[in-house]
Amino acid sequence: MSKLERVDLFDFKSGLLFSLILLFIASLSLGWEYFRYKDFVKFDDPLVRAEVIDQEVRLISEKPKTSIKFRLENGANVRCIMSPYLRDLRGREVLLELQMAKVSFLDYLKGFRTRGAIYEVYPALSLKERWYRRIASQHSDQSMKELYGALFVNSPMSQEFQSLVGAMGLSAVLSISGYHFGILSLVAYFFLRTPYRFVQNRYFPYRHGNRDLFLVVAGLLFTYLSVLEYNPAMIRSFGMIVVGYWLYDRGIKIVSFQTLIIAIGLLLAFFPRLFFSLSFWFSSFGVLSIFIFIRYYEHWKPWQIFLALNLWCYLVLLPISLAIFGTFSWWHIGSIPINLIFNLYYPAVLVLHLTPWADVFDSTLIKMFDSGELRNVVIPMWVGILSIVLALSAMRWKSSFWALGVLGFATLGSAVYQIA
């Protein structure tokens, strides 16, 4: 008996109708945001409640200043420059006065910089900050505290360490993103499946097991997402997981460009701030690169896809990442096998942080980062833009697929030549 084929969700007419619905939802979302913006700026210097999500002392005009990033109660992000003598306020809520006279609606959506003054500090720490401090207490080296804080609770790294991680090509795996969400969902499903099947067979064999397990896993992931204060890349991943399962449950293709477009469209329509999130677009571009590869090589064996996909994603993302960030090192090339190892390392260190042996890999990692170096390379922005154009056209033409791979290798060669 032949296997039933999964079908696409939309034809042209239904796709057009769906697009109009998304535009309507987006207009409502923007209207609501504009209403909140007007309410926010009706005073030139409003007092607002905000959470401190990042704090770092930097040299600004040759003088030490504290750069603080706040998330306001209406969801807007704002960065202020303050005294270098402020105590550590990360994870705390404060009463903040802001100068809003020159802040436009676009600035409000993107996140903005302005002058501010803290009037009151509330004592309670956020759950995310409590988790971070628990993780940090298990490590003595500051870089390890920052690494595992970023890996598990999305706490910001210092500017210096973040630049080093980027130059070594490890940003994608050491800063929590949709990639980690995918690993966590698989781990949660693996551990819940056996006990659920036992209970199901004994008490409710009539229920749809996979559907129940998905609801439990999705609930756990959403709880984690809320603790992480809705990281944009993970919002994209959660949206893809929900949309993907909904389509799969109805016999519709999930590894398709329609799935990606639907997830991105829905998220942007309901959360217009995501349009200005670089991590959201990098995460989406990463998924696009995966779908492009699977489109042409889904007939390969799973282990072949797993190995080749790691190299392919590295090459596809390299031009745009180097064009934007411009940092590279010899370790960057070594990140290809490191990314493969990470699939085992991540769940292992997650378990180790529940035990007294959380720092078992610290000495090895410290040596690795000490041997890393930060080198600047110049890749023109048009190269990064070209990689995006080729990726989009590769959805239709295989010649663009090959051109995209050649562009990745050429970018890698240029970066290696510049640091050699």
Side-chain angles (χ1 to χ4, degrees):
M1 190 171 74
S2 61
K3 184 179 178 180
L4 290 176
E5 291 188 1
R6 293 184 174 272
V7 299
D8 290 321
L9 179 60
F10 293 130
D11 56 22
F12 177 77
K13 289 184 178 179
S14 57
L16 182 60
L17 177 61
F18 180 72
S19 300
L20 292 174
I21 293 172
L22 286 183
L23 287 174
F24 176 70
I25 295 172
S27 65
L28 293 178
S29 298
L30 285 171
W32 170 244
E33 291 291 352
Y34 187 73
F35 170 78
R36 295 207 295 177
Y37 162 73
K38 294 300 289 184
D39 184 61
F40 186 42
V41 300
K42 62 184 177 183
F43 301 108
D44 288 341
D45 303 308
L47 278 173
V48 292
R49 192 159 177 151
E51 181 185 350
V52 178
I53 58 176
D54 188 17
Q55 180 178 347
E56 185 179 3
V57 176
R58 300 177 181 176
L59 282 177
I60 300 174
S61 300
E62 302 302 323
K63 295 181 180 180
K65 298 285 185 180
T66 300
S67 174
I68 303 185
K69 185 177 182 181
F70 300 95
R71 178 173 291 117
L72 308 184
E73 55 189 350
N74 56 19
N77 292 319
V78 57
R79 189 173 285 277
C80 300
I81 303 300
M82 296 185 173
S83 165
Y85 306 109
L86 280 176
R87 65 187 176 95
D88 188 359
L89 299 175
R90 284 175 295 184
R92 296 189 186 276
E93 289 196 344
V94 299
L95 187 63
L96 182 68
E97 182 185 58
L98 296 172
Q99 294 184 9
M100 298 295 298
K102 297 181 180 179
V103 177
S104 67
F105 179 54
L106 187 61
D107 294 331
Y108 171 80
L109 290 177
K110 291 192 301 182
F112 57 95
R113 295 173 181 267
T114 189
R115 292 184 178 181
I118 296 174
Y119 273 66
E120 186 176 354
V121 178
Y122 301 102
L125 285 170
S126 66
L127 179 58
K128 174 182 170 180
E129 182 63 19
R130 293 200 298 272
W131 281 13
Y132 168 74
R133 296 191 180 196
R134 173 71 178 85
I135 293 166
S137 68
Q138 297 174 284
H139 304 273
S140 57
D141 184 82
Q142 181 60 31
S143 62
M144 293 299 99
K145 294 179 181 182
E146 293 183 20
L147 185 151
Y148 287 109
L151 192 57
F152 294 135
V153 294
N154 194 38
S155 61
M157 298 179 185
S158 65
Q159 196 171 26
E160 180 182 358
F161 188 60
Q162 189 173 32
S163 298
L164 178 62
V165 167
M168 296 175 70
L170 301 175
S171 294
V173 295
L174 296 184
S175 298
I176 194 164
S177 65
Y179 174 60
H180 305 78
F181 229 24
I183 295 177
L184 288 174
S185 61
L186 290 175
V187 170
Y189 181 84
F190 175 79
F191 281 106
L192 291 173
R193 188 174 185 275
T194 299
Y196 174 82
R197 293 297 187 198
F198 174 79
V199 175
Q200 181 194 27
N201 291 335
R202 191 177 182 92
Y203 297 106
F204 37 83
Y206 52 87
R207 290 195 60 83
H208 193 301
N210 286 336
R211 192 175 296 162
D212 286 348
L213 281 171
F214 170 76
L215 291 174
V216 173
V217 171
L220 292 173
L221 293 179
F222 183 79
T223 302
Y224 189 37
L225 181 63
S226 65
V227 171
L228 297 185
E229 298 169 352
Y230 303 100
N231 169 268
M234 297 190 75
I235 290 176
R236 192 278 311 155
S237 179
F238 185 78
M240 283 288 295
I241 290 171
V242 172
V243 171
Y245 183 80
W246 184 84
L247 297 176
Y248 172 83
D249 198 43
R250 284 151 181 79
I252 299 169
K253 289 181 182 178
I254 56 172
V255 182
S256 73
F257 303 113
Q258 275 194 4
T259 310
L260 181 59
I261 292 170
I262 291 168
I264 292 175
L266 285 170
L267 291 170
L268 290 176
F270 282 102
F271 310 104
R273 293 181 193 276
L274 290 177
F275 184 82
F276 304 101
S277 169
L278 190 60
S279 62
F280 174 80
W281 290 113
F282 260 108
S283 179
S284 300
F285 190 54
V287 176
L288 175 62
S289 68
I290 293 172
F291 283 7
I292 291 169
F293 185 88
I294 293 177
R295 171 180 171 83
Y296 295 110
Y297 294 102
E298 63 180 341
H299 58 280
W300 282 13
K301 295 179 180 178
W303 68 268
Q304 293 174 319
I305 293 176
F306 176 73
L307 293 177
L309 195 56
N310 187 63
L311 174 61
W312 169 252
C313 290
Y314 175 83
L315 293 173
V316 172
L317 292 170
L318 189 63
I320 187 63
S321 62
L322 290 186
I324 293 175
F325 301 111
T327 56
F328 194 75
S329 72
W330 291 112
W331 269 105
H332 206 289
I333 303 171
S335 68
I336 299 174
I338 289 175
N339 288 344
L340 289 172
I341 298 170
F342 185 82
N343 291 280
L344 299 175
Y345 168 80
Y346 181 57
V349 293
L350 182 62
V351 173
L352 285 172
H353 276 79
L354 303 176
T355 73
W357 303 289
D359 61 349
V360 68
F361 295 116
D362 282 13
S363 59
T364 303
L365 291 172
I366 290 169
K367 290 178 182 178
M368 184 182 78
F369 286 116
D370 285 344
S371 66
E373 58 178 345
L374 180 63
R375 302 283 294 275
N376 292 322
V377 296
V378 178
I379 302 296
M381 183 55 69
W382 66 262
V383 174
I385 296 172
L386 178 60
S387 71
I388 297 174
V389 173
L390 287 174
L392 293 173
S393 60
M395 295 189 294
R396 184 173 180 87
W397 296 291
K398 195 171 184 178
S399 57
S400 295
F401 172 89
W402 288 114
L404 185 59
V406 170
L407 181 65
F409 274 113
T411 304
L412 178 60
S414 175
V416 169
Y417 176 78
Q418 291 182 54
I419 67 170

